[in-house]
């Protein structure tokens, strides 16, 4: 992760929008979530609220617990303590598949697409479950044609129209990640969790994905782990900083980036 906190500048979007949503009920809320592994506190007493219409960044130095928090929120890990609520409902004991059905959808650091299928075919597969076609193996392949209009709309939305019939494996790395985001949108998320969506991308792809995420946030809540602090400054309404598994500070980027504790966490002290 870049250690430079100065000179990024908080985005006007973040400054304008965060305070206006403070009173809105969070779509996803966690209180006191903790995770121990053989006595080691990987995450301890984390509180976080994710609201509709927001992009919320989860940042911190390497090993701060960001991915563990993601896995706890999406129930790929069961919390040792704490509660998780989705749209006001206690989902702490729910399985990941149940959360996905309720509208909590996540991506992973490793791209999850079918490389030997076309972009359109990848979207058709993603749309089968919400359309109730996922387990109807006896139906002819043509039965999936009813999904084409929605699949094409999603492809157009993320800017892959020119690659609709291309094999997914032939896409550039950045466009593969864009396709993966499109497949998550096929599940009509209420909360979308993106784990390092811009990792390893060049400037052009980063800009494209940031624009897509900004568009997505108009319709749902977005929580993302992101190492690119310029992206965080430009895109995110709120930022939660983790250090050693605990929340260090939370607020808009302007507040977070000038906090002395955050600067020390990223840059160290003069004595180090």
């Amino acid at each position: 992760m870049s250690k430079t906190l100065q000179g990024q500048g908080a985005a006007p979007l973040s400054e304008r929008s965060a305070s206006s949503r403070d009173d809105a009920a969070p779509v996803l809320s966690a209180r006191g979530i903790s995770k121990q592994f053989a006595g080691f506190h990987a995450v301890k007493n984390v509180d976080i609220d994710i609201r509709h219409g927001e992009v919320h960044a989860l940042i911190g130095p390497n090993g701060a617990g960001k991915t563990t928090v993601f896995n706890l929120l999406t129930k790929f890990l069961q919390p040792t303590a704490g509660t998780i609520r989705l749209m006001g409902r206690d989902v702490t004991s729910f399985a990941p598949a149940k959360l996905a059905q309720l509208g909590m959808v996540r991506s992973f650091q490793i791209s999850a697409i079918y490389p030997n299928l076309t972009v359109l075919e990848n979207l058709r597969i993603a749309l089968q479950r919400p359309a109730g076609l996922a387990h109807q193996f006896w139906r002819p392949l043509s039965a999936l044609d009813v999904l084409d209009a929605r699949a094409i709309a999603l492809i157009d939305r993320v800017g892959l129209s020119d690659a609709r019939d291309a094999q997914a494996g032939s896409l550039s790395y950045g466009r593969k990640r864009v396709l993966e985001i499109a497949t998550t949108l096929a599940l009509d998320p209420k909360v979308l969790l993106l784990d390092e969506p811009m990792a390893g991308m060049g400037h052009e792809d980063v800009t494209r994905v940031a624009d897509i995420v900004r568009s997505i946030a108009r319709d749902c809540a977005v929580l993302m782990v992101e190492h690119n602090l310029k992206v965080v400054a430009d895109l995110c309404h709120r930022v939660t900083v983790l250090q050693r598994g605990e929340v260090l500070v939370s607020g808009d980027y302007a507040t977070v980036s000038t906090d002395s504790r955050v600067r020390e966490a990223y840059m160290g002290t003069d004595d180090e």
Side-chain angles (χ1 to χ4, degrees):
M1 174 184 290
S2 170
K3 293 185 178 181
T4 302
L5 292 175
Q6 288 181 316
Q8 302 289 5
L13 173 65
S14 303
E15 294 173 352
R16 287 198 311 267
S17 303
S19 61
S20 65
R21 294 184 177 90
D22 283 341
D23 296 331
V27 181
L28 174 63
S29 180
R31 287 293 176 271
I33 57 169
S34 302
K35 184 64 180 179
Q36 292 186 53
F37 296 99
F40 169 69
H41 283 275
V43 169
K44 186 176 181 180
N45 294 326
V46 167
D47 294 345
I48 192 167
D49 291 323
I50 315 301
R51 292 175 170 82
H52 181 83
E54 283 188 355
V55 182
H56 192 132
L58 190 62
I59 70 171
N62 290 332
K66 302 180 295 293
T67 297
T68 302
V69 168
F70 251 49
N71 287 334
L72 291 171
L73 292 174
T74 53
K75 300 311 306 299
F76 283 81
L77 288 174
Q78 180 64 29
T80 306
T83 59
I84 302 167
R85 304 186 75 85
L86 178 63
M87 294 178 287
R89 182 176 183 179
D90 189 336
V91 296
T92 311
S93 63
F94 285 22
K98 179 63 174 178
L99 289 184
Q101 292 174 2
L102 293 175
M104 187 189 296
V105 181
R106 70 167 293 178
S107 71
F108 295 85
Q109 292 181 18
I110 299 174
S111 184
I113 59 172
Y114 296 99
N116 295 323
L117 299 181
T118 68
V119 168
L120 178 60
E121 289 167 341
N122 269 269
L123 265 298
R124 279 165 46 126
I125 289 173
L127 287 164
Q128 284 181 51
R129 182 173 294 279
L133 300 173
H135 302 296
Q136 299 184 15
F137 301 112
W138 63 89
R139 301 186 69 176
L141 188 61
S142 60
L144 299 181
D145 291 347
V146 297
L147 304 176
D148 281 358
R150 173 65 174 150
I152 291 170
L154 287 169
I155 290 169
D156 292 346
R157 181 176 182 181
V158 299
L160 290 176
S161 303
D162 61 323
R164 182 188 304 171
D165 298 316
Q167 268 198 338
S170 70
L171 300 178
S172 68
Y173 173 75
R175 301 193 96 193
K176 286 176 183 175
R177 297 310 300 264
V178 168
L179 173 57
E180 183 184 8
I181 292 174
T183 63
T184 64
L185 294 179
L187 299 176
D188 193 23
K190 303 296 185 297
V191 185
L192 180 60
L193 293 92
L194 301 172
D195 198 355
E196 300 188 32
M198 295 141 188
M201 291 185 183
H203 175 74
E204 183 177 342
D205 285 331
V206 166
T207 300
R208 179 183 297 113
V209 172
D211 287 342
I212 292 169
V213 172
R214 187 177 288 110
S215 173
I216 292 169
R218 299 187 188 115
D219 302 316
C220 70
V222 177
L223 174 64
M224 58 186 285
V225 170
E226 182 52 54
H227 287 290
N228 187 326
L229 293 180
K230 185 177 188 307
V231 169
V232 172
D234 291 342
L235 178 62
C236 298
H237 302 88
R238 299 176 196 267
V239 182
T240 295
V241 184
L242 292 182
Q243 183 182 32
R244 300 187 183 93
E246 298 184 70
V247 174
L248 190 62
V249 65
S250 189
D252 61 30
Y253 186 84
T255 300
V256 167
S257 63
T258 56
D259 189 288
S260 60
R261 296 166 297 173
V262 176
R263 301 180 68 80
E264 182 176 336
Y266 275 100
M267 304 174 68
T269 64
D270 292 339
D271 297 330
E272 293 180 327

